Amino acid sequence: MMNISPARITKILPDSIGAEIGFEVGDAIVSINGMRPRDLIDYQFLCADEVLELEILDEKGKTHQIEIEKDYDDDLGLEFETALFDGLIQCNNRCPFCFIDQQPPGKRSSLYFKDDDYRLSFLYGSYLTLTNLPQREWQRIEQMRLSPLYVSVHATEPEVRIRLLKNQRAGEILDNIRWFQERRLQINAQVVVCPGINDAVHLEKTLRDLASFHTGELPAVASVAVVPVGLTRFRPQEDELTPVTRKKAGEVISQVRKLQQEFKETFGSNCVWLADEWFLIAGEELPCEAEYEDYPQIDNGVGSIRLFIKEFLQTARELLPQKVKPRKLTWVVGNAVEQAFQPIEKQLNEVEGLSVNMRALSSDYWGQDISVTGLLTGHDLLLKLQDEDLGAGILLPSVMLKHGEQVFLDDKTVEEVANSLKTEIFPVTNVEELIKVCIQ
């Protein structure tokens, strides 16, 4: 484990305790009540007290002691440079389908960090494999009740999981899940299906094994997402992987749906869900909204299209006027969602004066014929939209951009692409923003 660095503050929320006390961006918290926080989890735990004694290091390197009295659950209103003050727990697997290894060299360094950190899993829902945890980290998960965690299972048969992760410890996954079960802690699992390796009988075995932990008041396995492997043209040639075909997608849908029916009868819940991509690849209708229950795997692309359409219809009723000043816009999405989003395009164009042209693109950059929106890059926009009449600008789903920044996955900036296409780009995060840019 790396040394613990002071927690550097990047933002102070207005009207917060932090603003009142006079914290400044660049100040760093060294300790809280004599303890050095390792990460955001420690920070939140230590701040849940009524009296805080903070050691602060300012930008000039001067140390200050501050005492704060507050209600125990009051937040200080501070945001930090990183959630991890002692560095990232790195991945020790060599999964052939790892997206990090399927990128070209020479891009920003953060694109090549292979994190496999249980703290990011707890805080943000990122997936980890549980193969790199020393005993003290297992103890911390138990003591601090860090649940649920999000776990990439892929296969429960030891030899299949070891083959996929290239790590002998990968074979311990069922023991790992039993550990969570014994402590009444939960995981949400994912299975990335690689045709010819962990599909067919192996997939059935994995899903049945995982479903066996979906019992009791607090199931150890709360949900399972089944996701198709995503491959790019930059991947190593010796990776033994084959892309998911339309036929294979149909087979997986049929296989998983039979199991869902069985699990629904046994547990009263699907327990296992198919990512939207399966239906897009197979050219099949997406499941109805009720099938997704309370969307337990929404961040894994399970039901995100249905939910987006539902939210659009609700928000459109409230916000869409009958008429606007003449306005033409280009809405860029991945071609995987073209069919699903046509009703949204149609409804926007029913507003008098508004013309929205949905441009559904595949990714030349990654070498994909069918692309999800989040993988489109600046390169793809420049290649496909050059010299087109884009109207007043491009509606750009912000899932294409690095979190909190105006940068695409290929390191091109929004400004660079907008200048090159001689148009304005409007990043939109949700349905409300999409509609508001259309009618402004």
Side-chain angles (χ1 to χ4, degrees), residues 220-287:
V221 174
S223 68
V224 185
V226 180
V227 182
V229 67
L231 304 177
T232 83
R233 66 188 174 94
F234 301 110
R235 75 182 209 264
Q237 286 312 298
E238 66 286 357
D239 64 10
E240 66 176 348
L241 297 177
T242 54
V244 173
T245 60
R246 186 174 180 137
K247 181 171 178 283
K248 171 52 76 176
E251 285 169 12
V252 171
I253 290 169
S254 166
Q255 181 184 13
V256 173
R257 282 194 142 161
K258 277 189 196 133
L259 289 169
Q260 281 179 324
Q261 215 169 346
E262 188 184 315
F263 297 154
K264 186 101 176 171
E265 285 166 20
T266 310
F267 309 116
S269 162
N270 281 355
C271 172
V272 171
W273 278 272
L274 288 152
D276 295 355
E277 275 182 79
W278 291 109
F279 300 94
L280 304 175
I281 295 168
E284 291 189 21
E285 190 70 28
L286 287 160

Side-chain angles (χ1 to χ4, degrees), residues 31-33 35-52 54 70-76 80 83 85 122-123 140-146:
S31 68
I32 303 169
N33 293 344
M35 301 282 291
R36 291 176 76 103
R38 284 180 57 184
D39 45 43
L40 209 48
I41 298 168
D42 271 355
Y43 166 78
Q44 290 168 349
F45 179 76
L46 292 168
C47 283
D49 215 333
E50 293 181 340
V51 178
L52 304 182
L54 304 180
K70 63 177 191 63
D71 290 341
Y72 85 97
D73 55 353
D74 276 352
D75 186 63
L76 298 185
F80 301 94
F85 314 141
F122 175 69
L123 290 166
R140 187 176 184 228
I141 291 168
E142 181 178 4
Q143 285 161 0
M144 299 191 81
R145 311 293 298 163
L146 301 182

Side-chain angles (χ1 to χ4, degrees), residues 184 186 214-220:
R184 292 178 56 77
Q186 289 188 294
H214 190 76
T215 56
E217 272 177 57
L218 199 73

Side-chain angles (χ1 to χ4, degrees), residues 141-420:
I141 291 168
E142 181 178 4
Q143 285 161 0
M144 299 191 81
R145 311 293 298 163
L146 301 182
S147 171
L149 295 184
Y150 292 76
V151 179
S152 287
V153 172
H154 307 321
T156 52
E157 294 163 281
E159 66 281 6
V160 180
R161 194 167 191 252
I162 289 167
R163 180 183 171 189
L164 279 169
L165 272 60
K166 310 279 191 284
N167 185 333
Q168 284 302 312
R169 285 187 70 182
E172 300 166 11
I173 187 63
L174 287 175
D175 289 337
N176 295 157
I177 298 173
R178 280 185 207 102
W179 184 93
F180 282 89
Q181 187 179 45
E182 285 158 12
R183 286 153 185 82
R184 292 178 56 77
L185 298 171
Q186 289 188 294
I187 69 163
N188 289 294
Q190 78 165 350
V191 176
V192 173
V193 175
C194 302
I197 301 176
N198 65 338
D199 58 343
V201 291
H202 303 296
L203 179 59
E204 175 157 354
K205 171 88 171 99
T206 295
L207 298 182
R208 287 192 182 283
D209 283 346
L210 292 173
S212 73
F213 290 97
H214 190 76
T215 56
E217 272 177 57
L218 199 73
V221 174
S223 68
V224 185
V226 180
V227 182
V229 67
L231 304 177
T232 83
R233 66 188 174 94
F234 301 110
R235 75 182 209 264
Q237 286 312 298
E238 66 286 357
D239 64 10
E240 66 176 348
L241 297 177
T242 54
V244 173
T245 60
R246 186 174 180 137
K247 181 171 178 283
K248 171 52 76 176
E251 285 169 12
V252 171
I253 290 169
S254 166
Q255 181 184 13
V256 173
R257 282 194 142 161
K258 277 189 196 133
L259 289 169
Q260 281 179 324
Q261 215 169 346
E262 188 184 315
F263 297 154
K264 186 101 176 171
E265 285 166 20
T266 310
F267 309 116
S269 162
N270 281 355
C271 172
V272 171
W273 278 272
L274 288 152
D276 295 355
E277 275 182 79
W278 291 109
F279 300 94
L280 304 175
I281 295 168
E284 291 189 21
E285 190 70 28
L286 287 160
C288 67
E289 194 196 322
E291 275 196 48
Y292 293 109
E293 295 173 26
D294 59 353
Y295 294 97
Q297 288 266 6
I298 188 75
D299 291 333
N300 217 346
V302 177
S304 51
I305 294 174
R306 271 278 173 253
L307 190 60
F308 187 87
I309 294 168
K310 177 190 174 183
E311 286 174 353
F312 176 82
L313 294 173
Q314 287 173 341
T315 312
R317 274 197 295 272
E318 295 164 28
L319 294 183
L320 267 191
Q322 288 185 307
K323 183 177 179 179
V324 293
K325 282 186 204 159
R327 183 165 173 77
K328 180 180 177 180
L329 291 157
T330 301
W331 180 26
V332 173
V333 296
N335 64 346
V337 297
E338 180 173 18
Q339 202 176 339
F341 282 0
Q342 276 169 357
I344 294 178
E345 180 189 29
K346 183 171 179 285
Q347 193 163 346
L348 288 169
N349 285 316
E350 281 169 3
V351 175
E352 192 183 333
L354 182 60
S355 169
V356 174
N357 175 29
M358 179 170 67
R359 289 288 275 112
L361 310 179
S362 61
S363 178
D364 173 80
Y365 181 83
W366 299 114
Q368 295 174 330
D369 295 328
I370 298 174
S371 298
V372 293
T373 304
L375 286 182
L376 293 179
T377 64
H379 165 95
D380 296 318
L381 269 66
L382 293 173
L383 182 73
K384 309 278 173 72
L385 303 179
Q386 203 79 52
D387 304 322
E388 283 195 17
D389 176 11
L390 302 169
I394 294 171
L395 294 160
L396 187 89
S398 57
V399 291
M400 293 184 208
L401 305 176
K402 184 184 176 192
H403 182 66
E405 291 186 34
Q406 303 278 291
V407 182
F408 291 92
L409 276 175
D410 61 353
D411 269 356
K412 291 196 185 303
T413 65
V414 168
E415 187 181 13
E416 198 183 324
V417 173
N419 289 341
S420 191

